[in-house]
Amino acid sequence: MILHAAGCEDAPKGDPAMDVLEALDYARMPGVILCKECGVPEFLDRFLDPS
Ligand SMILES: [Zn+2]
């Protein structure tokens, strides 16, 4: 499973949009890969690693 940001061109058609909290829960699941094309890692890092 790959997690995409909303509007990513690589996201499968018809994927339900997730809000930030849903995406964070999803990103912590084993086996989930963050898509590098749509900036998901950079986006979620702000929430996963607050400083
Ligand atoms: Zn993507």
Side-chain angles (χ1 to χ4, degrees), residues 2-5 8-11 35-38 40:
I2 302 176
L3 179 63
H4 291 278
C8 177
E9 292 182 359
D10 288 343
C35 175
K36 291 181 171 61
E37 301 300 321
C38 53
V40 164

Side-chain angles (χ1 to χ4, degrees), residues 3-4 9 11 13 17-18 20-21 24-25 33 35 38-40 44 50:
L3 179 63
H4 291 278
E9 292 182 359
K13 296 288 186 289
M18 285 188 287
V20 170
L21 290 179
L24 284 171
D25 283 344
I33 298 167
C35 175
C38 53
V40 164
L44 292 183

Side-chain angles (χ1 to χ4, degrees), residues 3 19-30 32 44 48:
L3 179 63
D19 63 30
V20 170
L21 290 179
E22 286 176 319
L24 284 171
D25 283 344
Y26 198 74
R28 291 192 186 98
M29 290 169 57
V32 172
L44 292 183
L48 291 170

